[in-house]
Amino acid sequence: MKRFIGFVKKEFKHILRDYRTLLILFGMPVVQILLFGFAIKNEIKDSKIAILDRSKDYITEEITNKLLSSGYFLLYENLKSEDYIESEFRKGIVKEVIVFEEDFAKNLFGEGKSGIQIIADASDPNYANMLINYTSSIINDYLNTLHTGHNIQILINPEVKMIYNPEIKSVYMFIPGLMAVILLLVSSLMTSISITREKEFGTMEVLLVSPLKPLQIISGKVIPYVFIAFIDALIIIFMAKYVFAMPIEGSIILLILESVLFITTALTLGILISTISSSQQIAMMSALGGLMLPTILLSGYIFPIENMPYVLQLLSNLIPAKWFVIIVKAIMLKGLGFSYIWFETAVLVITNIVLFVISIARFKIRLE
Amino acid sequence: MYDLKISDVSKKFGDVNALRDINLDVEENELFGVIGPDGSGKTTLFRIAATLLVQDTGKVKLSGLDNIKDYKKIREIIGYMPGRFSLYPDLTVEENLKFYATVFGTTVKENYDIIKDVYLHLEPFKKRRAGKLSGGMKQKLALCCALVHKPKFLILDEPTTGVDPVSRNEFWEILRNLKSIGMTVIVSTPYMDEAKLCDRVTLMQNGCILSVQTPAEIIEGFGKKIFSIRTDALTDTLKFLNEYKYTENVFLYGDVIHYIDIRKEIKVDILTQYLRTNELKNITIKEIEPSVEDCFLTLMREK
Amino acid sequence: MEDVFVIDVNKLTKKFGAFTAVDSISFKVKKGEIFGFIGANGAGKTTAIKMLCGILIPTSGDAVVSGFDVYKQSEKIKKNIGYMSQKFSLYEDLTVRENIKFYAGIYGLKSGVIKEKTEFILDSLRITEAGNRLIKSLPLGWKQKLAFSIASIHNPKIVFLDEPTGGVDPLTRRQFWKMIQSASENGITLFVTTHYMDEAEYCNRISMMVDGRIAALDSPMNLKEKIKADTMQQVFIKIASQRVILN
């Protein structure tokens, strides 16, 4: 045990001495979150919209005027029928289409209920979401003035439907994905590099002939990065909550435990990479190319899994980050408890065990 | 019995025969030298003995233990210093040593008497990072690290390569001391002159063992007369001697020429005569005792 | 014949923080001379060579290499010198021919000249049949001889050799020194460091560094006489361990 502790101490020294890398490890989550948070357009101005007014009564006219006078929207075109909606979006100029149902005013005052359909181009989901929020709030404001003026109960349901991206993504939907990517980067990339560095330094030769067991060497290499990744996870959660006011509906303890589980998965992946790479360079390339790229593309971080071809959907099941993103979303946004995410958790646990066993078995006790 | 028996060991890397049918016995408490240039197979041989590589054929027994089956037991009794740099450059001298001590389940204090000789050289630099040490110091630190767990059998792969003559002398003194406290040491080196400091040496070339002898035996076994020749024009002398019909081997050796004749009975006068006829002046010729390098050069030629 | 000095060093000093790596060294090297530069590890040899090659700015003192000042004209120095070390020499994953072509290209040789030079080098080293082999498949001795040929491919006036023969077998070492000697006969100046003291004997003059200073500078013969030693090995050990300062 003393040997092992000595080994871990040495690893911490390596990490602490290399302050540049340390800065990157802790600075990266902060910078990434700020970039993602603020680079996403959070101001709407002169967005081009199209309107399909099937009712053409004074209420729809007033709503249209309200929208266009807000300064947020510009009317690009009045559509004649529903058939034009898709082609309008394809051109890429119109970001949102508002459809008033037939007999809008009549329904509103007769049945106390009327329908507006708002369709947004969700190829930029955050922007689309914002457009919809703005539109709905302007309509609601208008309805409130109607309400007070007539003193009757009126309900209006703007039917929000996004095409191209049926799953609504909000500004902070990127946080779970970002968390997965950063934890993966820190854990797998850094461990695989630090293990292969021993090989390059020639120190692995001496460690091999020492009484240290492969399990001790591997865990000794991994433990410091568990700490670092864990701190990164906390930084991300903290910033999400306090900088972007992201809700954490569910248990924060559960969230942290699940993060630790994902960190260990990422670490075992890193170990696996290091057992097959002979140099730091190869380790880095395989970590970036073999882990990061598939994770970014297939975890549902940027591209919704539901919209992928079937084959890729199947493949995405192999990406641990996918399961982690589901878990984080469930806890943070939906406030779900463990009973709802036991399956995803089980997937990560099993992945963990399998990878770890393979790594230990593949770890070479000799130089060849 | 901390000895090493290598029988019929061969090892190939791809098409390259790194070792060909090596047979070698190192006795307990021997200071055994493996001498040969880069690429002669020394490192491969040492790695096999240190259980880091597995031979293709043949058997290796260290202290009666099989290097494949009982590798764990062997690792407990050996100290191994790899040929390439094997320290953590970002850790200090002290930290490196402490680290290796803990890894081997001991402390620097516990075995201080063993490493004391070497560590005294390092003490003034103990706060310096290993990456900033000079070549000789690095090697001494690496030796300290290999010694810190008090091994019975020491395997040192080229500990003196790239080290200056003074540090090399100190290094060999340390090795003699280690032998005197009962350790078995096998050490490889590309420097021929270090052979005379070993109990027995083997000369290696192209994965083969040329001979296993004591330094004295190598020199006695040379069996030919060797002359040291000095003239006012060494390059010309070399040329004339190369053309001489009785020449077996001739080469520069520092500031003189070493010359080996094929004739059993050869007198200095005859050689002086030959060189004079070629208009060379200030000729001094002495019969000398061959050095290990002379023997090696001659053995290489014979192979 | 008047001596032409191709290296003229005057009180050259390099400090790293509080540590003085090279401490006010002065010497001159003649054209065509084989100048040995020996000393213990860490005595400052490598730092001195780096300054002379124009890749490290001295703290103080002057040095003129091949007529150019090390402070201001380091780019010109680089065109007139060749450099080879045990550690850095050739690209292992390129073939012999590719290495020659690459280095010749660096020095701006024309393709016709490169072809000529390539054949000349392969021929003089008698490795024509190995021209398309990867460097890593060659024995160390061949590599070092090839590295030397390549270091002098652009007809430099001075070639710096930093431990060129480390780990090379005795036979190849001798062949290597034959190459050095014939280069010297062609007027190229050779600046050599080595840990083999028998090689020190082949130098015209030896400068021995101890703790950043030049402790001795003379021909091997004179050094041995002064120190009363039979071999350079003894000279070295005496000077380095007893700190005898000769000049």
Side-chain angles (χ1 to χ4, degrees), chain B residues 22 30 38 51 87-88 100 110 120 131 152 156 183 188 222 243 246 256 265 269 273 285:
Chain B
I22 301 287
E30 195 172 22
D38 267 22
T51 75
L87 303 163
Y88 297 98
Y100 281 115
E110 203 172 305
L120 281 178
K152 303 286 195 299
L156 309 173
M183 276 190 202
S188 65
F222 189 66
E243 288 161 1
Y246 299 111
V256 293
E265 295 302 314
D269 297 348
Q273 197 57 43
I285 301 180

Side-chain angles (χ1 to χ4, degrees), chain C residues 4 6 50-51 55 58 63 119-120 128 132 137-139 146 157 165 170 187 209 211 216 218:
Chain C
V4 182
V6 288
K50 279 182 185 164
M51 288 193 281
I55 54 176
E119 295 317 315
F120 174 76
T128 313
N132 293 324
S137 70
L138 300 181
L146 181 63
K157 297 199 176 73
T165 53
M209 281 192 83
D211 295 338
D218 214 328

Side-chain angles (χ1 to χ4, degrees), chain A residues 99-160:
Chain A
V99 185
F100 295 101
E101 68 172 21
E102 274 173 49
D103 303 324
F104 189 85
K106 197 172 142 198
N107 289 343
L108 189 62
F109 294 111
E111 294 163 30
K113 199 172 136 195
S114 206
I116 297 179
Q117 198 182 11
I118 306 171
I119 307 162
D121 176 1
S123 55
D124 182 347
N126 299 303
Y127 193 67
N129 197 56
M130 250 183 300
L131 282 176
I132 287 168
N133 285 340
Y134 275 65
T135 315
S136 341
S137 79
I138 290 170
I139 295 171
N140 278 325
D141 276 353
Y142 171 71
L143 288 177
N144 281 338
T145 60
L146 275 187
H147 183 184
T148 47
H150 289 76
N151 204 17
I152 46 165
Q153 283 286 78
I154 300 168
L155 273 170
I156 187 158
N157 285 329
E159 189 188 330
V160 177

